[in-house]
Amino acid sequence: MTVQLSLFSNIRRHYKGRSLTAFPSSYVTLNLKTTGLSPMWDSIIEIKAIRFKNGMEINRFSSLVRANVDSFTAQITGITNDMLAGAPAAEKVFRAFAGYLEDSDILIGHSSDIDFLYDSFVEFNLAPLSNDFIELSSSKNPLSGRHCVFTGRLERFKRKEAMRIVAELGGVNERSVTKRTNVLILGNEEYRRREKSNKHRKAERLVLAGQRIEMIPENVFYDLVDGRMRRKLFIPSF
């Protein structure tokens, strides 16, 4: 079976800063809350940032962002539609945050947070977010040893091909959502239309009961595995 890895190409953030490994003396920590894990279809509902220099807190930025959330997101984040109704509009918040950031600021946050902010800056015609950053990640391979389940029709690969990618990266494929499940990958159409399958609903119930399950659309799955599969199979980036 041949997997066409060139099809992984998704969003290319040309002006995105460098991912650093050395810890800086001055930096800005990010803490975002969103309606999901896809920068393409989900929204930021809260931005918090703290600037540090030489270990001392200098100042903070904090704002909710006007949006609508479903009951699951409200329960997970603690942010309700009533709280968001009086929040500033997204463009106003991102322009204010762009003014807060300095060109020399090194950002510390999860890779998804950086991507969410980058795409939001582009959406509102702000200068691209080109600050260098340090990713907060517990593992260089987010699928290694993790139990993964697919649901919905995939756009780029057949289900068996996608499951092979998970296996190649050390993940464990499962047919149904259980208490062992760590990652639920949803077909883009299902995720975009918010039509929740039985697997999706079961995963939400388990999350609300305290289990850690990442529920991601197909395009985010490709972002996670793209570079890692290229390095593993020595395939150049396009």
Side-chain angles (χ1 to χ4, degrees):
M1 183 185 301
T2 301
V3 178
Q4 299 296 321
L5 293 178
S6 61
L7 293 178
F8 281 177
S9 299
N10 196 28
I11 297 174
R12 297 302 180 194
R13 300 176 174 92
H14 298 289
Y15 299 99
K16 188 175 178 181
R18 298 171 299 158
S19 177
L20 306 178
T21 55
F23 202 84
S25 60
S26 300
Y27 53 90
V28 172
T29 61
L30 296 174
N31 183 4
L32 271 58
K33 290 185 179 179
T34 65
T35 58
L37 295 176
S38 172
M40 184 178 294
W41 297 309
D42 291 306
S43 303
I44 297 172
I45 56 176
E46 184 179 43
I47 300 177
K48 289 185 177 181
I50 306 176
R51 177 176 285 109
F52 291 90
K53 290 188 178 181
N54 299 317
M56 300 290 293
E57 179 181 329
I58 303 301
N59 51 42
R60 295 186 175 212
F61 180 96
S62 179
S63 180
L64 293 174
V65 184
R66 190 186 307 162
N68 291 313
V69 297
D70 60 18
S71 60
F72 175 74
T73 301
Q75 290 180 75
I76 292 298
T77 63
I79 298 176
T80 66
N81 282 320
D82 287 342
M83 296 168 63
L84 296 173
E91 182 173 1
K92 183 176 181 180
V93 174
F94 293 123
R95 288 191 179 280
F97 186 63
Y100 168 80
L101 285 180
E102 300 174 1
D103 291 342
S104 59
D105 283 335
I106 294 174
L107 307 180
I108 296 182
H110 294 285
S111 178
S112 58
D113 288 350
I114 306 296
D115 290 344
F116 264 101
L117 283 175
Y118 187 103
D119 292 353
S120 296
F121 276 37
V122 171
E123 179 181 355
F124 294 110
N125 296 314
L126 301 171
L129 183 68
S130 57
N131 297 67
D132 293 340
F133 59 93
I134 295 176
E135 293 183 28
L136 296 178
S137 176
S138 58
S139 172
K140 292 183 179 180
N141 181 352
L143 298 183
S144 179
R146 307 188 79 193
H147 293 252
C148 302
V149 177
F150 288 90
T151 184
R153 184 184 65 83
L154 302 181
E155 294 178 354
R156 302 190 185 184
F157 296 114
K158 294 180 179 178
R159 181 77 59 84
K160 289 183 178 179
E161 293 173 334
M163 292 173 72
R164 172 177 171 256
I165 294 168
V166 170
E168 287 280 358
L169 292 174
V172 179
N173 287 292
E174 294 191 335
R175 298 288 182 180
S176 59
V177 174
T178 69
K179 291 184 177 181
R180 295 191 302 269
T181 303
N182 306 117
V183 184
L184 177 65
I185 301 107
L186 299 93
N188 282 337
E189 184 65 18
E190 178 180 330
Y191 192 93
R192 182 166 55 244
R193 296 176 64 181
R194 308 296 182 184
E195 294 181 352
K196 298 179 180 180
S197 65
N198 290 334
K199 291 179 181 178
H200 193 174
R201 294 181 185 281
K202 183 174 182 180
E204 288 189 346
R205 291 196 298 271
L206 289 172
V207 169
L208 292 176
Q211 185 169 333
R212 291 181 62 87
I213 302 178
E214 293 184 17
M215 290 174 279
I216 61 176
E218 180 184 355
N219 67 318
V220 172
F221 169 69
Y222 296 140
D223 283 342
L224 286 176
V225 305
D226 188 3
R228 293 169 180 88
M229 285 299 291
R230 291 187 193 285
R231 288 193 294 272
K232 185 177 181 67
L233 301 180
F234 304 103
I235 294 179
S237 179
F238 293 91

